[in-house]
Amino acid sequence: MHHLRTLFVLILALGLCAFLNFVGVRSYVLLNAYSGFADHFNTVGVIFILFWLVVVGLLLHLVRPFLRLSPASFALVYAALMVATVIPTMGFGGYFLPLIAGVFYYSTPENNWQELLWDHIPDWAAPRDPQLIRNLFEGVAADQPIPWDAWAGPLLFWGLFMFAFFLVSLSFISLIHHQWSQRERLVYPLAVVPTLMVDSLDNPATSLFRSWLFWVGFFLAWVLPTINMLDRVFDFQAIVSFGIPSTRIEIRQLGLSYGLNTDLLVVGLSYLVNLNVLFSVWFFHLLVALEESLLGYLGISVPLPAQPHAGGSVLMAHQQIGALLFLIISSLWLARDFLRQQWRLIVTPQGEELPPGQVPPRWAALIGLVGLTYMTGFLWATGLPLGWSILFLLLALLIFFGTARLLVQTGIGRLRAAYSIPPILTNVFGTSLFGDRALVAMGMGFVWAADIQLFLMGTLAHAFKVCEDAKLKISGRKLLLFLISAVIVSLLTTMLCYVWLGYRQGLIHGYLCDYVNSPNYHWGWVANTINNPHPPQYLTTTFLAIGAGLAALLSFANHHLAGWPLHPVGLAIALTNTVRIDWFGIFLAWVIKSIAIRYGGVSLYRTLRPFFLGLILGSCVGVGGASLLYAFYYI
């Protein structure tokens, strides 16, 4: 009976993973806009699905208690969905086909990509038939067959690469999770609502849904995207116009501008975060934006073309990456005793009983080693020399790892790293050390290491957090089964749906940013770098060191000066486009939480907390429902 229930829950989880991926792919191919369903760490689609699972579960509990989904099963479904949400858009699918096929489709005599790039792309990495590529972007009639045989090889090799990336991400997070969650007690704001939904199934009498303050916040956050959706579909703007206006503060002499956008989901998540972390994020955004403007005003810059995914100017992006690298090193130093303990368990496992939801360290190390081996070999096979492949992979994994840590500390649902990997290497080392083939190989690396704002380490960290509760009694083996099954189903669904919908609808008619701008943006940078080689940019290396040094000083002050208000985390993400958008909502949450704690103490903070949890869930249900209608209300 127990095995049958597990099988039922696994089938349910995988069905929901396939559904989430299909909606994400369909939205990107059919809509020239973010759907909001599976685009960021907000994981709107995941929370939307979980909300209705809880509603159905509570109703079944009233009718037939034995039919309800158990809290452990619910947590496993959440873990599977957190893997699934990465694959269809920003984490892989949104960049995969546009980049490997777009290099051929957007080639012109003017950009000369055929001569510069084509010969360096391995045949196994992408189809080469021009008509086949054109049909993918422009679509074909329904009676024409889809050339699945031409895509079989690229889909297989890239799918195995992403599976290897999943194994490495799982290994990293599994080995460090207990340190982050139990020893350092990081906040994991994005996991708070899913955890409370698990508790609602476990004990409906004390459910979050019984709080009237929660429903006030829920309705306020739900009504905004819902009315906007109804307006878009039924066009009744003349009857009602409802939304939160967005304005800007500008200092034109310095070219400085601050947006005042307010997102209720951001406000709700930020209320759960430590005050010094919140303060550092909005304060350093204001300060570093001013620094960027002053450098521009003084003419301090580097002679480089536009850089892919730089958070602010080239110098400011390096400064933020320097701060992030220091935070990574300091967090590993802080965890040194725990990591030694993990190493002993890897080398000489002693049969110790593991906490619930934890994968045995030896298993984690072995699957990580398998993944690292394939990823390194893949990068080498694309044309990146072995030494550079190892360095590229090491730098990428460090940035993914560090950004995942920032995510569990800050809860910024649209968090992203301040830079992509290829320009960091070319700026620090110059271009002559790489050669044309290696630069093209790094261009293919943009498929998975470009816009680093949704990736498996970040979502897996929250999956482990929700599944670690001792009451759930989830074994590491069962959790591993759900996670591995979820990534396989998600990869298959995403890749097959993109090819299918591409040939039936035409990718070029979908999301402009991915299917038109992205290939021109990324491959344009590669071609420009080949055409215009440059030596090492020592000023960028200097700003890497400045960022690391400032983060070191702030870390020292944070640990040694009582009452020090600034956390170094803000330095690492100060000018990323997501913080530019969301800083004011973070500021509002900081003000509200500061006033609540100052005048009402922890008691008032806890009293108000259901309202902000309602903002989180209401936003996800509203945006998720709107996204579903947008995805299927397509003419």
Side-chain angles (χ1 to χ4, degrees), residues 278-344:
L278 286 179
F279 180 54
S280 75
V281 172
W282 71 259
F283 176 80
F284 278 119
H285 170 68
L286 300 181
L287 186 64
V288 177
L290 177 61
E291 178 191 2
E292 179 184 44
S293 297
L294 289 174
L295 289 174
Y297 184 78
L298 296 173
I300 301 174
S301 62
V302 289
L304 294 172
Q307 302 283 284
H309 307 291
S313 68
V314 173
L315 295 180
M316 290 298 96
H318 281 85
Q319 180 175 294
Q320 292 167 88
I321 289 295
L324 177 62
L325 291 175
F326 174 83
L327 292 175
I328 296 166
I329 294 169
S330 64
S331 69
L332 292 174
W333 175 255
L334 186 66
R336 62 192 183 279
D337 292 335
F338 176 75
L339 292 176
R340 288 194 197 103
Q341 177 185 336
Q342 294 289 72
W343 174 252
R344 286 194 294 269

Side-chain angles (χ1 to χ4, degrees), residues 279-447:
F279 180 54
S280 75
V281 172
W282 71 259
F283 176 80
F284 278 119
H285 170 68
L286 300 181
L287 186 64
V288 177
L290 177 61
E291 178 191 2
E292 179 184 44
S293 297
L294 289 174
L295 289 174
Y297 184 78
L298 296 173
I300 301 174
S301 62
V302 289
L304 294 172
Q307 302 283 284
H309 307 291
S313 68
V314 173
L315 295 180
M316 290 298 96
H318 281 85
Q319 180 175 294
Q320 292 167 88
I321 289 295
L324 177 62
L325 291 175
F326 174 83
L327 292 175
I328 296 166
I329 294 169
S330 64
S331 69
L332 292 174
W333 175 255
L334 186 66
R336 62 192 183 279
D337 292 335
F338 176 75
L339 292 176
R340 288 194 197 103
Q341 177 185 336
Q342 294 289 72
W343 174 252
R344 286 194 294 269
L345 291 175
I346 292 169
V347 176
T348 56
Q350 300 170 358
E352 296 183 15
E353 185 176 349
L354 295 171
Q358 184 169 322
V359 177
R362 174 168 279 193
W363 288 19
L366 287 175
I367 63 176
L369 184 60
V370 171
L372 283 171
T373 302
Y374 185 88
M375 291 181 77
T376 304
F378 185 94
L379 293 177
W380 174 78
T382 59
L384 199 58
L386 183 59
W388 289 118
S389 295
I390 294 171
L391 181 60
F392 187 102
L393 186 58
L394 175 63
L395 180 60
L397 293 177
L398 283 175
I399 290 178
F400 280 113
F401 181 77
T403 308
R405 181 185 170 87
L406 296 187
L407 181 67
V408 303
Q409 283 185 283
T410 66
I412 297 176
R414 287 195 285 253
L415 183 69
R416 53 161 290 186
Y419 226 164
S420 54
I421 314 305
I424 298 176
L425 294 176
T426 57
N427 293 344
V428 171
F429 295 103
T431 57
S432 61
L433 293 178
F434 293 96
D436 295 356
R437 189 178 182 205
L439 289 172
V440 173
M442 287 199 290
M444 284 185 278
F446 283 123
V447 167

